[in-house]
């Protein structure tokens, strides 16, 4: 049975973070507020947990899950080195609405779906998400909706869609906005704008003039 915590209450927040961390370590799913929409999270290093996340959403492996981290240092642990544009973008826009696609370490024991050796990583600008990430490490996180349904800004909307497939719901109130993060692909020789979201192409190009649309 799912458990629900109202994180506007400090005691419930503390209890919820403990229970959510335990659920992640058991390979179960957690719903939490982020700085964009509600996300459903799983241990990024548990193939079974990631498979459960994709199944809960009705999503195929051809759409692999992004990963959230709590710091730039955590991203460094997932790669064998970041290109200079990545470091510049991180300084300018993290934490916040920027997802970076980079080559991940080949030694990592994980399975996020059909990634082609890349991973999409973001550091969210939301205290509840950062608190959980600091306790669990990197999480595979996707919007907490069924595929082709609107991404939820309220925890209740996520509960109606995902129900008992999720072990713990952390209600952080209404999220700031339904606009998705911008995505920049740095896995090749040319920085590519995959999706223009909360950050405009112009703002990103001020930091990386070589940026081009994919």
């Amino acid at each position: 049975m799912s458990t629900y915590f109202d994180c506007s209450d400090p005691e419930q927040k503390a209890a919820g973070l403990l229970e959510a961390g335990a659920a992640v370590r058991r390979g179960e799913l957690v719903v939490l507020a982020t700085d964009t929409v509600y996300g459903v999270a799983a241990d990024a290093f548990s193939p079974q947990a990631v498979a459960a996340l994709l199944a809960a959403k009705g999503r195929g492996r051809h759409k692999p899950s992004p990963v959230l981290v709590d710091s730039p240092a955590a991203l460094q642990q997932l790669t064998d080195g970041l290109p200079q544009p990545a470091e510049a973008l991180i300084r300018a826009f993290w934490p916040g609405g920027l997802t970076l696609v980079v080559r991940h370490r080949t030694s990592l024991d994980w399975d996020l779906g059909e990634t082609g050796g890349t991973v999409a990583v973001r550091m969210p600008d939301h205290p509840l998400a950062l608190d959980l990430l600091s306790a669990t490490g990197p999480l595979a996180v996707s919007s907490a909706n069924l595929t082709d349904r609107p991404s939820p800004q309220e925890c209740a909307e996520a509960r109606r869609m995902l129900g008992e497939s999720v072990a713990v719901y952390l209600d952080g109130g209404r999220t700031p906005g339904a606009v998705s993060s911008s995505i920049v692909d740095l896995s090749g020789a040319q920085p590519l704008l995959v999706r223009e979201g909360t950050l405009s192409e112009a703002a990103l190009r001020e930091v990386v003039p070589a940026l081009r649309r994919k």
Side-chain angles (χ1 to χ4, degrees), residues 14-168:
L17 286 168
L18 285 174
E19 182 57 32
V24 167
R25 289 187 287 274
R26 293 193 298 266
E28 296 172 340
L29 304 184
V30 173
V31 160
L32 70 159
T34 77
D35 51 340
T36 55
V37 295
Y38 271 82
V40 56
D43 181 355
F45 298 99
S46 168
Q48 295 80 11
V50 174
L53 184 158
L54 296 176
K57 286 176 59 71
R59 182 170 178 167
R61 286 176 49 81
H62 65 289
K63 291 185 176 180
S65 177
V67 169
L68 294 188
V69 295
D70 71 336
S71 67
L75 170 59
Q76 294 277 4
Q77 297 301 311
L78 304 179
T79 73
D80 288 318
L82 292 173
Q84 188 279 329
E87 297 175 355
L89 288 166
I90 286 169
R91 286 194 299 270
F93 300 117
W94 272 22
L98 175 64
T99 297
L100 298 177
V101 179
V102 296
R103 308 296 302 183
H104 67 71
R105 288 185 178 178
T106 56
S107 60
L108 288 179
D109 184 20
W110 65 2
D111 182 3
L112 300 171
E114 297 172 6
T115 66
T118 66
V119 61
V121 186
R122 187 169 80 87
M123 179 183 175
D125 189 13
H126 194 287
L128 183 62
L130 291 172
D131 283 347
L132 181 59
L133 287 162
S134 69
T136 62
L139 292 173
V141 180
S142 185
S143 55
N145 60 299
L146 297 174
T147 297
D148 298 326
R149 297 279 295 277
S151 299
Q153 288 182 261
E154 301 277 359
C155 189
E157 298 170 16
R159 292 180 79 185
R160 281 193 291 270
M161 285 188 276
L162 300 182
E164 295 298 312
S165 65
V166 170
V168 178

